[in-house]
Amino acid sequence: MANYAKDSAGIVRAARAGDYKVGIILGSGLGSLATEIDDAVRIPYAQLAGFPVSSVTAHASELVAGMLEGVPVVILSGRAHYYESGNPSIMRTPMETLKELGCEIIVATNAAGSLREQIAPGSAMLINDHINWSGLNPLIGEEDESRFLDMSKAYDPALREQIKAAAKQEGIELPEGVYMWFSGPSFETPAEIRMSQVLGADAVGMSTVPEVILARFLGMRVAAFSTITNMGAGLQAHDLSHDETKEMAPKGAAKIKAILKTFLRNLDK
Ligand code: HPA
């Protein structure tokens, strides 16, 4: 494990001692969850060795450690995306830091475009699998056999059951689906969206997949959500924009927040 992660974990522990259980990565529109942490310390990524500072508006760049619903959590408020640097391993140190801090579970969130009429903008979607069509992988260059990582149950089946139970408890509809990673930063073309539908994707987006691969590589269990901000290109009457992503993301995000809090409250402490 790189020393950057040990150094960063040391900085977090110096600010707030303890072991943590759940690491949460907040994508567009989810940032407000970081304001609900009790007994919180906030550390800008710029102060953490090896942490990337995201240039995407709607992404803060700070780590927040504290308690959420009685569970010790570390929140990555803002992520760096492949399209910002061309580096698929850009989130490696943050993920290693979560592991170093004791996190056993990672919850990743993102904003995504829907490929299914039944999963309308404003919905929350639970990711049950992904398609990595990019040809990129954060493990390229790993030298030992651990690089041949099993991805059969990347989105932990037991966690998904617990999350679905939490959604039911909250009375929130939570469709499940396959997330397909595109590098971005341009949105997909209508032809790419039709291709994605044929390939079995339910939503498309520009993040999460590299972090999920890294989390599994590090032995952490993963759950992931999308807040659906739009229909994929060509499936809605108007063109796509980042403004729409920012405007719509909080709708599904409110659902994800409610489900996540109930999931944490129900978690074995
Ligand atoms: N495509 C890719 N990423 C996205 C989209 C989309 O339609 N919406 C929000 N993030």
Side-chain angles (χ1 to χ4, degrees):
M1 198 171 286
N3 284 332
Y4 276 158
K6 282 205 163 51
D7 292 350
S8 292
I11 292 170
V12 175
R13 282 218 169 90
R16 189 182 182 284
D19 263 340
Y20 294 85
K21 190 172 175 83
V22 180
I24 304 172
I25 306 168
L26 298 181
S28 303
L30 274 298
S32 65
L33 190 66
T35 64
E36 298 188 24
I37 307 301
D38 298 321
D39 184 23
V41 296
R42 292 167 197 285
I43 305 172
Y45 289 173
Q47 292 174 18
L48 295 171
F51 271 57
V53 178
S54 175
S55 59
V56 183
T57 55
H59 279 261
S61 288
E62 62 177 14
L63 179 151
V64 184
M67 302 295 288
L68 185 57
E69 301 293 336
V71 180
V73 298
V74 183
I75 295 203
L76 299 183
S77 186
R79 61 154 62 82
H81 305 78
Y82 168 73
Y83 61 72
E84 294 174 71
S85 63
N87 176 7
S89 302
I90 190 75
M91 289 296 284
R92 181 144 185 160
T93 296
M95 299 309 293
E96 287 176 344
T97 303
L98 295 177
K99 173 77 179 176
E100 193 68 38
L101 287 167
C103 294
E104 297 156 11
I105 296 171
I106 296 298
V107 179
T109 64
N110 60 50
S114 171
L115 307 183
R116 306 270 172 237
E117 238 171 59
Q118 315 86 285
I119 309 180
S123 307
M125 187 187 95
L126 181 63
I127 299 177
N128 59 17
D129 206 347
H130 75 223
I131 298 174
N132 179 4
W133 185 252
S134 65
L136 302 163
N137 195 299
L139 303 183
I140 290 174
E142 281 300 313
E143 287 177 358
D144 64 47
E145 293 201 352
S146 59
R147 65 188 166 186
F148 300 117
L149 179 69
D150 177 37
M151 293 293 286
S152 323
K153 297 191 183 82
Y155 299 84
D156 193 273
L159 289 180
R160 278 195 275 136
E161 287 311 312
Q162 289 167 256
I163 286 168
K164 283 193 279 185
K168 201 165 176 195
Q169 212 175 318
E170 288 297 311
I172 298 171
E173 220 181 307
L174 185 65
E176 279 188 82
V178 174
Y179 175 88
M180 184 156 173
W181 180 38
F182 282 86
S183 77
S186 55
F187 285 109
E188 301 73 31
T189 63
E192 287 163 348
I193 290 297
R194 290 193 298 275
M195 173 195 75
S196 309
Q197 290 176 312
V198 170
L199 293 181
D202 300 295
V204 291
M206 305 178 194
S207 68
T208 303
V209 165
E211 293 134 52
V212 170
I213 294 170
L214 287 166
R216 295 301 299 137
F217 182 65
L218 296 168
M220 298 185 282
R221 299 167 69 203
V222 171
F225 294 90
S226 293
T227 170
I228 301 295
T229 56
N230 57 279
M231 297 305 294
L235 301 180
Q236 62 181 25
H238 57 276
D239 292 349
L240 271 48
S241 72
H242 187 55
D243 282 344
E244 182 178 39
T245 302
K246 286 192 285 189
E247 191 187 314
M248 288 298 292
K251 298 195 179 174
K255 297 175 186 168
I256 295 171
K257 269 165 48 172
I259 295 167
L260 192 52
K261 283 161 74 170
T262 300
F263 162 74
L264 290 174
R265 210 178 308 125
N266 295 345
L267 209 59
D268 280 341
K269 308 241 162 61

